[in-house]
Amino acid sequence: MGYGRSMCRSIKTLRPPFAEQVTDDDIHAAALQYVRKISGFRAPAGHNAAALGTAVDAVAAPTATLLDHLEVRSALRR
């Protein structure tokens, strides 16, 4: 995919594969990591801060919905 620059492919796991309780902080951290990865900005300039903040909020909402609807059947399968 020709994006013109190379991008780190590692995504840090923000929580275990299954957690009884996922906090708003977990969801916000995941959304922030995603927006930083896509935008290429770790710390945006002041004129971009609002746009990135809006993007984090926009990503956090469907992330929460996804996590609410996931069904974990078994942590170990043999």
Side-chain angles (χ1 to χ4, degrees):
M1 299 185 182
Y3 290 114
R5 66 180 191 227
S6 102
M7 182 188 305
C8 172
R9 298 285 180 218
S10 67
I11 298 292
K12 183 172 71 171
T13 301
L14 299 172
R15 63 180 192 87
F18 175 74
E20 288 289 334
Q21 189 70 16
V22 178
T23 67
D24 288 340
D25 288 341
D26 293 330
I27 293 169
H28 182 268
L32 179 59
Q33 182 179 19
Y34 175 78
V35 169
R36 285 176 173 169
K37 178 74 68 176
I38 295 303
S39 70
F41 293 111
R42 168 112 174 91
H47 63 278
N48 287 326
L52 268 68
T54 299
V56 169
D57 293 342
V59 169
T63 301
T65 300
L66 169 66
L67 293 174
D68 286 344
H69 289 90
L70 286 178
E71 180 181 327
V72 177
R73 293 184 179 188
S74 174
L76 298 173
R77 286 203 167 176
R78 293 180 186 232

